[in-house]
Amino acid sequence: MNRCLLAINAGSATLKFRAFSLDGQTLLARGMVDRFGSREALFSLADANGQKLAERGLADAAHDTALAAALNGLADQGLEARALAHRVVHGGNRFRQPARVDADTRSALDDYIALAPLHQPVSLAVIDAFSRIDPQLPQIACFDTAFHATQPTVATRFPLRHCPPLA
C-alpha cells in the first residue's frame, strides 16, 4: 500500500480531492464526489493522467458515505491516506497559516461560519466526518484568507479610497 497525502476541497455541491506522494511532489490520483450530500451523489476516481479508474453512485446522502467512498476508492488503487489537507475558506484573523485541526482549532472555526456561510459549514462537516472515520488521521486546515493576511496595508485599503460615496 502506497501512502499518500490527500488534499480536500469541499464545496457546497462537489467534493474534490487529490492524492499526492508523501513529499507532495507527485500527483497520484484525483477524484470527486459530485452532488455531494445528495441522494444522486456520484463518486469518480482517475489516475494522475485523467484516466478513469472508478465511477459509481453512492447509497445515501451522508458525508461519511462520500468520504468513505473516497478513501476506499483510493485503497482499491493501493493508496492509503496518511494526512489530509483541507481548503477552508475563512480563518478569520486568528489563522494566518495552515493549522493542524485539533479540538481548539475546530471550535474556533465555528466562529467564522457567518463570514463564509456557503462554504465554511461544508468544510467543517467534512473535517468532522473524517474525524469520525479515522480519528488518528492528521488533518490540516489551509485557509483562503491566509493570502489576504499577508498583504501590505495599502493593498487592503486601496479599493476603499476609490469607491464613490454611499448615498
Side-chain angles (χ1 to χ4, degrees):
M1 189 72 77
N2 288 327
R3 297 196 242 172
C4 65
L5 302 174
L6 197 56
I8 308 289
N9 182 356
S12 57
T14 304
L15 173 82
K16 297 177 185 173
F17 60 93
R18 303 283 185 265
F20 292 92
S21 59
L22 286 181
D23 65 5
Q25 300 298 309
T26 305
L27 177 65
L28 303 172
R30 62 183 98 199
M32 177 170 62
V33 178
D34 197 19
R35 296 180 297 269
F36 183 54
S38 79
R39 292 174 196 224
E40 294 83 33
L42 179 67
F43 165 77
S44 61
L45 183 67
D47 65 16
N49 298 315
Q51 182 71 29
K52 190 176 290 188
L53 300 171
E55 185 173 271
R56 64 179 174 274
L58 299 179
D60 63 49
H63 288 100
D64 296 52
T65 301
L67 302 177
L71 292 175
N72 291 335
L74 290 168
D76 290 345
Q77 301 303 315
L79 297 171
E80 176 188 15
R82 299 305 299 156
L84 305 172
H86 297 272
R87 174 189 175 226
V88 177
V89 170
H90 223 295
N93 59 3
R94 177 173 173 186
F95 299 103
R96 296 174 178 259
Q97 59 189 8
R100 178 130 185 207
V101 178
D102 58 18
D104 290 337
T105 302
R106 173 58 187 84
S107 177
L109 293 176
D110 277 334
D111 294 340
Y112 306 119
I113 289 173
L115 299 174
L118 296 178
H119 295 283
Q120 198 86 350
V122 177
S123 294
L124 297 178
V126 168
I127 288 170
D128 293 344
F130 272 118
S131 293
R132 286 188 298 275
I133 291 168
D134 186 351
Q136 302 307 311
L137 191 60
Q139 298 189 71
I140 307 298
C142 302
F143 305 97
D144 288 2
T145 51
F147 167 79
H148 303 287
T150 61
Q151 291 184 334
T153 302
V154 67
T156 63
R157 296 189 182 179
F158 176 75
L160 297 177
R161 293 197 333 234
H162 297 283
C163 289
L166 297 174

